[in-house]
Amino acid sequence: MNPYECPICHAEYEENPRVCPCGFEGIEYPFFWESKELNEEYEKKRLFKIYKFAKRVVTGELPYEPSPLTVYEYDDQIYVEESVDDRGLAYVDCKGDGKRKSFAAEGLVVFRSRTPALYLNTNEAHHNFLDESAVRMIFFGPDFERFENGYFRPYTLLRYLWVDAENRFLSAENNVLFNKDKTELISYASLRPETEYRVPASVKRLMPLCFYYPKHLKKLWLPRGIRTVGRAFFFSYGEEPEIIYY
Ligand SMILES: [Zn+2]
């Protein structure tokens, strides 16, 4: 077994190539330290490099083949049941055809344990489309409209949330997901490293599960009069952030 592996195409190398022919830059030796802090530091860097790569793909700077998909048609909808792709970036591009909407089913990439990045360009998605997948970052394409029931369940630990600027329904700002006019906060990426967060004053509603075990959040500022839809907050016992209304 060769020690160097590209996290995107999984090519293995005896010597570090730095840049893989697939376009990924910054392959590193997959060392593991005794120290939890150093391992976390390594993982942070690894995710950032994958994020940089995926962003070049989704903005059209790097060529990338869309993922093969398991698709079936039912009840005038196109269901994407599975992304049959073992690469580090699953590129799920399957928008409807005008008459029918496309729908990302529950657990879309759940069997892809080596897939930390997901590009999703279906029209809709099941609220549990991530399930317990290994996805750490989602890039929503221009055609994505909505989650079933308006929210999603981020079982998996997310670090990056990004939305195509052409998308008319959603927006993201610094890894927090909103509807387009930022009146609803849909999801706060749980691995977001900042310890404080101020919910923008435009936000009127916090959607269900939008703060789902945020790992580093210690202080949360909320605009006065904000409403929660269903249960918005899930915090670990004893690690609840301080909530301040402004
Ligand atoms: Zn590669």
Side-chain angles (χ1 to χ4, degrees):
M1 227 180 90
N2 295 314
Y4 297 99
E5 190 192 312
C6 171
I8 301 298
C9 69
H10 304 304
E12 290 184 8
Y13 301 96
E14 206 171 313
E15 303 270 326
N16 193 342
R18 306 284 172 199
V19 183
C20 184
C22 77
F24 183 80
E25 285 177 38
I27 293 175
E28 275 186 55
Y29 188 75
F31 49 79
F32 291 97
W33 304 88
E34 296 285 329
S35 143
K36 185 170 159 267
E37 285 73 27
L38 285 173
N39 281 323
E40 281 180 1
E41 203 52 43
Y42 174 77
E43 178 63 6
K44 260 191 253 171
K45 269 201 224 153
R46 193 183 76 92
L47 289 180
F48 179 63
K49 285 175 181 168
I50 294 171
Y51 175 76
K52 274 206 316 195
F53 172 87
K55 213 168 147 188
R56 288 174 69 205
V57 169
V58 303
T59 55
E61 200 188 308
L62 257 186
Y64 197 78
E65 284 284 313
S67 301
L69 306 172
T70 304
V71 171
Y72 67 95
E73 292 172 23
Y74 176 73
D75 222 10
D76 289 333
Q77 267 199 322
I78 304 164
Y79 282 84
V80 183
E81 199 174 41
E82 197 183 1
S83 163
V84 195
D85 196 339
D86 195 36
R87 290 178 297 176
L89 167 64
Y91 195 91
V92 178
D93 191 10
C94 178
K95 51 181 178 284
D97 56 12
K99 279 198 295 234
R100 296 168 308 172
K101 301 264 188 199
S102 63
F103 186 86
E106 184 174 9
L108 181 74
V109 285
V110 75
F111 299 117
R112 315 288 148 202
S113 61
R114 299 197 293 178
T115 301
L118 169 67
Y119 171 76
L120 187 64
N121 196 35
T122 51
N123 299 121
E124 299 178 2
H126 188 276
H127 67 85
N128 198 25
F129 75 99
L130 286 174
D131 204 344
E132 292 179 41
S133 69
V135 166
R136 295 284 175 267
M137 57 195 85
I138 310 174
F139 299 79
F140 290 99
D143 300 291
F144 189 85
E145 295 173 25
R146 61 184 291 273
F147 303 100
E148 198 185 26
N149 307 320
Y151 73 96
F152 81 104
R153 180 183 284 273
Y155 267 142
T156 175
L157 294 166
L158 292 173
R159 169 64 185 89
Y160 297 103
L161 285 167
W162 184 94
V163 177
D164 190 294
E166 307 260 293
N167 189 299
R168 293 182 293 123
F169 306 95
L170 298 181
S171 60
E173 195 178 270
N174 203 0
N175 307 301
V176 183
L177 185 68
F178 304 91
N179 63 346
K180 190 70 184 180
D181 61 8
K182 293 202 172 66
T183 52
E184 291 176 355
L185 193 156
I186 300 169
S187 196
Y188 179 96
S190 53
L191 290 182
R192 206 176 174 272
E194 288 82 354
T195 54
E196 285 193 29
Y197 182 64
R198 192 180 178 94
V199 171
S202 61
V203 175
K204 302 282 178 259
R205 284 175 298 279
L206 296 175
M207 299 309 282
L209 295 88
C210 64
F211 285 93
Y212 196 75
Y213 300 106
K215 205 169 171 218
H216 305 289
L217 190 63
K218 300 273 178 281
K219 210 180 254 191
L220 177 61
W221 302 77
L222 297 176
R224 231 167 251 289
I226 197 166
R227 281 177 46 218
T228 55
V229 180
R231 186 173 167 194
F233 302 113
F234 286 75
F235 300 130
S236 300
Y237 182 70
E239 287 175 28
E240 298 88 351
E242 180 188 355
I243 293 181
I244 303 154
Y245 289 91
Y246 73 91

